[in-house]
Amino acid sequence: PDHALLINLSRDHIDWHKNESNYQKSKFRIFLNQNRGDFAYLENKLLIKEFIKQKYKSKLIHVKQNDLKKLKNKILIEYFKNEANYQNLRFAFKISKRLKISDTNFLKTINNFKPLKHRGEIFMKKKGFLFVNDSKATSFDSARNSLSNFKNIYWILGGIPKSGEKINLEKYRGSIKKIYLIGKNIKFYKKKIKRISKFQVSKTISNAILDISRDIKKEKKKLIRTILLCPAGSSYDQFNNFENRGNFFKNKIKSYVKKKYFW
Protein backbone atom coordinates (compact mmCIF):
# COMPACT_ATOMS: atom_id res chain seq x y z
CA PRO A 1 0.00 0.00 0.00
CA ASP A 2 1.07 3.58 -0.69
CA HIS A 3 -0.52 4.59 2.62
CA ALA A 4 -0.74 2.07 5.47
CA LEU A 5 -2.42 2.69 8.84
CA LEU A 6 -2.06 0.90 12.16
CA ILE A 7 -4.66 2.62 14.29
CA ASN A 8 -4.69 0.58 17.48
CA LEU A 9 -3.82 -2.72 19.08
CA SER A 10 -5.86 -4.38 21.82
CA ARG A 11 -6.13 -7.84 23.28
CA ASP A 12 -8.42 -9.41 20.69
CA HIS A 13 -8.61 -12.54 18.50
CA ILE A 14 -6.22 -14.34 20.88
CA ASP A 15 -8.14 -17.57 20.28
CA TRP A 16 -6.83 -17.37 16.69
CA HIS A 17 -3.37 -15.85 17.18
CA LYS A 18 -2.62 -17.78 20.42
CA ASN A 19 -0.82 -14.83 22.08
CA GLU A 20 -0.44 -11.03 21.91
CA SER A 21 3.00 -11.20 20.31
CA ASN A 22 1.65 -13.15 17.32
CA TYR A 23 -1.26 -10.74 17.01
CA GLN A 24 1.06 -7.73 16.97
CA LYS A 25 3.25 -9.35 14.29
CA SER A 26 0.15 -9.97 12.20
CA LYS A 27 -0.90 -6.32 12.51
CA PHE A 28 2.56 -5.05 11.53
CA ARG A 29 2.61 -7.12 8.35
CA ILE A 30 0.78 -4.28 6.63
CA PHE A 31 4.11 -2.42 6.41
CA LEU A 32 6.20 -5.28 4.97
CA ASN A 33 5.36 -4.60 1.31
CA GLN A 34 5.90 -0.87 1.53
CA ASN A 35 8.87 0.87 -0.08
CA ARG A 36 10.74 4.09 0.60
CA GLY A 37 8.22 6.25 -1.26
CA ASP A 38 5.29 4.94 0.81
CA PHE A 39 3.85 6.23 4.08
CA ALA A 40 3.05 4.51 7.40
CA TYR A 41 0.64 6.22 9.80
CA LEU A 42 0.73 5.50 13.56
CA GLU A 43 -0.46 7.32 16.66
CA ASN A 44 0.29 5.05 19.63
CA LYS A 45 3.78 5.70 21.05
CA LEU A 46 4.51 2.04 21.76
CA LEU A 47 3.55 1.07 18.22
CA ILE A 48 5.74 3.86 16.87
CA LYS A 49 8.70 2.53 18.89
CA GLU A 50 8.10 -0.94 17.46
CA PHE A 51 7.91 0.44 13.93
CA ILE A 52 11.26 2.21 14.36
CA LYS A 53 12.80 -0.89 15.92
CA GLN A 54 11.76 -3.06 12.96
CA LYS A 55 13.34 -0.60 10.46
CA TYR A 56 10.55 -0.67 7.89
CA LYS A 57 11.27 1.07 4.58
CA SER A 58 8.29 3.41 4.49
CA LYS A 59 8.23 6.91 5.96
CA LEU A 60 6.66 7.16 9.42
CA ILE A 61 3.88 9.74 9.78
CA HIS A 62 2.98 10.48 13.39
CA VAL A 63 -0.77 11.05 13.84
CA LYS A 64 -1.36 13.34 16.83
CA GLN A 65 -4.37 13.83 19.09
CA ASN A 66 -4.65 17.54 18.27
CA ASP A 67 -4.39 17.14 14.48
CA LEU A 68 -8.11 17.84 14.01
CA LYS A 69 -8.43 20.44 16.75
CA LYS A 70 -9.02 23.43 14.47
CA LEU A 71 -11.83 21.62 12.59
CA LYS A 72 -13.46 19.80 15.52
CA ASN A 73 -16.30 22.29 16.06
CA LYS A 74 -17.14 22.18 12.34
CA ILE A 75 -17.67 18.41 12.30
CA LEU A 76 -21.46 18.03 12.49
CA ILE A 77 -22.00 14.26 12.27
CA GLU A 78 -22.68 12.83 15.72
CA TYR A 79 -21.07 9.53 14.71
CA PHE A 80 -17.64 11.17 14.81
CA LYS A 81 -18.08 12.33 18.39
CA ASN A 82 -17.53 8.73 19.42
CA GLU A 83 -13.94 8.40 20.69
CA ALA A 84 -12.97 5.53 18.36
CA ASN A 85 -14.57 7.09 15.28
CA TYR A 86 -12.87 10.40 16.01
CA GLN A 87 -9.55 8.56 16.16
CA ASN A 88 -10.26 7.00 12.74
CA LEU A 89 -11.07 10.47 11.44
CA ARG A 90 -7.71 11.83 12.62
CA PHE A 91 -5.97 9.21 10.48
CA ALA A 92 -8.17 10.06 7.48
CA PHE A 93 -7.41 13.74 7.97
CA LYS A 94 -3.66 13.08 8.09
CA ILE A 95 -3.86 11.21 4.77
CA SER A 96 -5.98 13.99 3.27
CA LYS A 97 -3.16 16.47 4.05
CA ARG A 98 -0.65 14.18 2.35
CA LEU A 99 -2.94 14.06 -0.71
CA LYS A 100 -3.33 17.87 -0.61
CA ILE A 101 -7.08 17.77 -0.04
CA SER A 102 -8.36 21.10 1.29
CA ASP A 103 -9.98 21.42 4.72
CA THR A 104 -13.13 22.67 2.97
CA ASN A 105 -13.46 19.52 0.85
CA PHE A 106 -12.55 17.30 3.80
CA LEU A 107 -15.32 18.83 5.94
CA LYS A 108 -17.85 18.70 3.10
CA THR A 109 -17.22 14.97 2.69
CA ILE A 110 -17.26 14.22 6.42
CA ASN A 111 -20.46 16.16 7.05
CA ASN A 112 -22.23 14.18 4.29
CA PHE A 113 -20.96 10.85 5.61
CA LYS A 114 -23.53 8.11 6.25
CA PRO A 115 -22.30 5.88 9.10
CA LEU A 116 -22.46 2.10 9.00
CA LYS A 117 -25.15 0.49 11.12
CA HIS A 118 -24.59 -1.40 14.40
CA ARG A 119 -21.59 0.76 15.42
CA GLY A 120 -22.69 3.18 18.12
CA GLU A 121 -25.79 3.74 15.99
CA ILE A 122 -28.23 6.20 17.57
CA PHE A 123 -31.24 4.99 15.62
CA MET A 124 -33.95 6.76 17.63
CA LYS A 125 -34.33 9.79 19.89
CA LYS A 126 -37.66 10.24 21.60
CA LYS A 127 -39.00 11.93 24.75
CA GLY A 128 -35.65 12.13 26.50
CA PHE A 129 -34.49 8.67 25.41
CA LEU A 130 -31.52 7.71 23.24
CA PHE A 131 -31.73 4.25 21.70
CA VAL A 132 -28.29 3.02 20.68
CA ASN A 133 -27.41 -0.10 18.70
CA ASP A 134 -23.74 -1.01 19.20
CA SER A 135 -24.09 -4.70 18.30
CA LYS A 136 -20.70 -4.63 16.53
CA ALA A 137 -19.01 -4.17 19.95
CA THR A 138 -17.98 -7.80 20.47
CA SER A 139 -15.39 -7.19 23.19
CA PHE A 140 -15.12 -5.13 26.38
CA ASP A 141 -12.40 -3.08 24.71
CA SER A 142 -14.72 -2.04 21.88
CA ALA A 143 -17.54 -1.44 24.39
CA ARG A 144 -15.52 1.33 26.04
CA ASN A 145 -16.40 3.72 23.22
CA SER A 146 -20.14 3.64 23.92
CA LEU A 147 -19.64 3.64 27.68
CA SER A 148 -17.50 6.78 27.45
CA ASN A 149 -19.86 8.60 25.07
CA PHE A 150 -23.21 8.23 26.86
CA LYS A 151 -24.71 8.91 30.29
CA ASN A 152 -27.48 7.25 32.34
CA ILE A 153 -26.94 3.98 30.50
CA TYR A 154 -29.26 0.99 30.71
CA TRP A 155 -26.77 -1.50 29.32
CA ILE A 156 -27.73 -4.77 27.61
CA LEU A 157 -24.65 -6.98 27.91
CA GLY A 158 -23.80 -10.56 26.95
CA GLY A 159 -22.80 -13.01 24.26
CA ILE A 160 -19.71 -15.15 23.70
CA PRO A 161 -16.79 -13.39 25.46
CA LYS A 162 -13.27 -13.02 24.09
CA SER A 163 -10.76 -15.28 25.86
CA GLY A 164 -8.28 -13.64 28.23
CA GLU A 165 -9.73 -10.18 27.85
CA LYS A 166 -8.88 -7.72 30.62
CA ILE A 167 -10.51 -4.34 31.12
CA ASN A 168 -11.23 -2.03 34.03
CA LEU A 169 -14.81 -0.77 34.03
CA GLU A 170 -14.49 1.31 37.21
CA LYS A 171 -14.29 4.65 35.42
CA TYR A 172 -17.68 4.02 33.77
CA ARG A 173 -19.44 3.38 37.07
CA GLY A 174 -21.02 6.85 37.12
CA SER A 175 -22.43 6.48 33.60
CA ILE A 176 -24.15 3.12 34.09
CA LYS A 177 -27.59 3.06 35.72
CA LYS A 178 -28.09 -0.70 35.46
CA ILE A 179 -26.88 -3.72 33.48
CA TYR A 180 -29.13 -6.38 31.94
CA LEU A 181 -27.36 -9.67 31.23
CA ILE A 182 -28.29 -11.78 28.22
CA GLY A 183 -26.97 -14.88 26.48
CA LYS A 184 -25.45 -18.16 27.59
CA ASN A 185 -22.39 -16.85 29.44
CA ILE A 186 -24.05 -15.07 32.34
CA LYS A 187 -21.49 -16.26 34.93
CA PHE A 188 -18.56 -14.76 32.98
CA TYR A 189 -20.21 -11.35 32.68
CA LYS A 190 -21.31 -11.34 36.31
CA LYS A 191 -17.66 -11.56 37.37
CA LYS A 192 -16.75 -8.64 35.13
CA ILE A 193 -19.46 -6.25 36.33
CA LYS A 194 -20.37 -7.32 39.88
CA ARG A 195 -18.72 -4.28 41.51
CA ILE A 196 -19.63 -1.76 38.83
CA SER A 197 -23.39 -1.44 38.83
CA LYS A 198 -26.71 -2.95 39.73
CA PHE A 199 -27.59 -5.76 37.38
CA GLN A 200 -30.16 -8.40 36.68
CA VAL A 201 -30.31 -11.51 34.53
CA SER A 202 -32.68 -10.98 31.60
CA LYS A 203 -31.41 -13.85 29.38
CA THR A 204 -32.77 -12.41 26.11
CA ILE A 205 -32.85 -9.01 24.41
CA SER A 206 -36.66 -8.99 24.48
CA ASN A 207 -36.71 -9.60 28.22
CA ALA A 208 -34.00 -6.99 28.79
CA ILE A 209 -36.01 -4.29 27.00
CA LEU A 210 -39.09 -5.13 29.06
CA ASP A 211 -37.03 -5.13 32.27
CA ILE A 212 -35.60 -1.72 31.38
CA SER A 213 -39.06 -0.27 30.70
CA ARG A 214 -40.29 -1.51 34.10
CA ASP A 215 -37.28 -0.02 35.91
CA ILE A 216 -37.62 3.33 34.16
CA LYS A 217 -41.31 3.64 35.03
CA LYS A 218 -40.39 3.30 38.71
CA GLU A 219 -38.05 6.30 38.59
CA LYS A 220 -39.16 9.75 39.63
CA LYS A 221 -36.37 11.82 38.04
CA LYS A 222 -36.75 12.56 34.34
CA LEU A 223 -33.25 12.28 32.89
CA ILE A 224 -31.97 11.84 29.36
CA ARG A 225 -31.62 8.06 29.34
CA THR A 226 -29.59 5.83 27.04
CA ILE A 227 -30.91 2.37 26.18
CA LEU A 228 -27.78 0.64 24.92
CA LEU A 229 -27.19 -2.71 23.26
CA CYS A 230 -23.43 -3.10 23.60
CA PRO A 231 -22.89 -6.85 24.09
CA ALA A 232 -19.07 -7.03 24.55
CA GLY A 233 -19.26 -10.52 23.10
CA SER A 234 -19.90 -12.37 19.85
CA SER A 235 -23.49 -13.03 18.82
CA TYR A 236 -23.37 -16.74 17.98
CA ASP A 237 -24.90 -18.00 21.23
CA GLN A 238 -28.28 -16.50 20.25
CA PHE A 239 -27.95 -14.98 16.74
CA ASN A 240 -26.40 -15.73 13.37
CA ASN A 241 -24.24 -12.59 13.40
CA PHE A 242 -23.96 -9.12 14.92
CA GLU A 243 -26.16 -7.59 12.18
CA ASN A 244 -28.95 -10.03 12.96
CA ARG A 245 -28.60 -9.20 16.67
CA GLY A 246 -28.62 -5.44 16.04
CA ASN A 247 -31.63 -5.55 13.73
CA PHE A 248 -33.56 -7.68 16.21
CA PHE A 249 -32.87 -5.11 18.96
CA LYS A 250 -33.90 -2.18 16.76
CA ASN A 251 -37.13 -3.85 15.64
CA LYS A 252 -38.07 -4.73 19.22
CA ILE A 253 -37.39 -1.20 20.42
CA LYS A 254 -39.50 0.32 17.62
CA SER A 255 -42.32 -2.07 18.44
CA TYR A 256 -42.19 -1.30 22.18
CA VAL A 257 -41.97 2.45 21.60
CA LYS A 258 -45.17 2.29 19.53
CA LYS A 259 -46.82 0.52 22.46
CA LYS A 260 -45.52 3.27 24.82
CA TYR A 261 -43.62 0.83 27.05
CA PHE A 262 -41.14 3.49 28.20
CA TRP A 263 -43.52 6.26 29.29
Side-chain angles (χ1 to χ4, degrees):
D2 301 317
H3 301 267
L5 295 68
L6 179 47
I7 297 177
N8 55 48
L9 187 68
S10 60
R11 187 179 174 83
D12 203 354
H13 307 298
I14 303 302
D15 52 341
W16 175 263
H17 292 284
K18 306 305 178 189
N19 56 58
E20 290 182 63
S21 177
N22 288 345
Y23 186 35
Q24 180 168 301
K25 287 176 184 175
S26 179
K27 283 267 194 175
F28 270 92
R29 287 184 65 186
I30 194 171
F31 304 120
L32 284 176
N33 291 325
Q34 287 195 294
N35 297 310
R36 294 193 186 279
D38 300 326
F39 301 94
Y41 299 77
L42 296 100
E43 181 178 56
N44 182 286
K45 290 179 180 179
L46 292 176
L47 298 181
I48 288 172
K49 282 183 180 179
E50 183 64 23
F51 181 90
I52 294 170
K53 179 182 173 183
Q54 295 297 330
K55 297 181 179 179
Y56 292 103
K57 294 177 183 178
S58 50
K59 183 179 178 180
L60 172 63
I61 305 296
H62 186 187
V63 179
K64 298 176 182 177
Q65 296 228 346
N66 63 354
D67 278 337
L68 259 177
K69 188 176 181 181
K70 65 177 182 177
L71 300 182
K72 189 171 184 179
N73 292 333
K74 297 179 181 179
I75 296 168
L76 307 177
I77 303 296
E78 199 160 8
Y79 177 78
F80 291 116
K81 294 175 184 178
N82 176 297
E83 182 182 329
N85 297 334
Y86 187 65
Q87 183 187 35
N88 293 341
L89 196 58
R90 287 198 297 272
F91 277 76
F93 179 70
K94 204 73 170 183
I95 293 176
S96 79
K97 294 295 97 183
R98 183 64 50 183
L99 299 177
K100 297 182 180 179
I101 295 169
S102 70
D103 290 353
T104 300
N105 282 336
F106 180 82
L107 281 170
K108 184 179 178 180
T109 301
I110 292 308
N111 287 328
N112 283 291
F113 180 79
K114 293 182 179 178
L116 290 171
K117 297 176 181 178
H118 313 296
R119 296 157 173 84
E121 178 192 5
I122 302 172
F123 63 93
M124 190 188 299
K125 293 181 181 179
K126 192 156 185 170
K127 294 189 177 182
F129 287 84
L130 291 178
F131 297 96
V132 184
N133 166 30
D134 198 19
S135 183
K136 183 67 171 66
T138 56
S139 67
F140 273 109
D141 190 66
S142 56
R144 288 186 306 176
N145 298 313
S146 283
L147 295 177
S148 62
N149 279 289
F150 300 105
K151 303 294 181 186
N152 301 315
I153 299 170
Y154 296 80
W155 182 12
I156 301 174
L157 168 68
I160 300 175
K162 297 292 173 67
S163 61
E165 190 179 22
K166 297 176 183 177
I167 189 168
N168 183 4
L169 295 171
E170 284 287 341
K171 67 178 180 178
Y172 308 112
R173 182 194 293 270
S175 300
I176 301 167
K177 294 284 286 183
K178 191 172 177 180
I179 297 173
Y180 303 80
L181 297 176
I182 63 170
K184 297 179 180 178
N185 293 277
I186 300 293
K187 287 183 180 179
F188 171 86
Y189 288 98
K190 272 186 180 180
K191 288 178 183 178
K192 290 284 184 182
I193 54 93
K194 62 183 178 183
R195 293 189 303 164
I196 304 303
S197 174
K198 294 186 293 183
F199 71 88
Q200 77 179 69
V201 175
S202 297
K203 294 186 179 180
T204 68
I205 287 176
S206 296
N207 288 345
I209 295 170
L210 291 173
D211 291 337
I212 291 168
S213 69
R214 292 188 195 103
D215 287 341
I216 284 172
K217 284 180 178 178
K218 293 175 187 175
E219 293 180 355
K220 294 180 180 178
K221 289 185 180 179
K222 290 190 176 181
L223 306 166
I224 294 177
R225 302 177 178 97
T226 303
I227 315 302
L228 172 66
L229 172 67
C230 185
S234 299
S235 58
Y236 307 120
D237 59 336
Q238 293 183 317
F239 296 92
N240 292 331
N241 50 54
F242 74 85
E243 292 102 333
N244 181 232
R245 177 170 63 186
N247 287 329
F248 181 88
F249 171 68
K250 288 164 66 176
N251 290 335
K252 280 292 179 184
I253 287 290
K254 290 171 184 176
S255 171
Y256 291 166
V257 164
K258 281 183 180 178
K259 295 174 183 176
K260 300 181 179 179
Y261 275 45
F262 297 96
W263 44 77

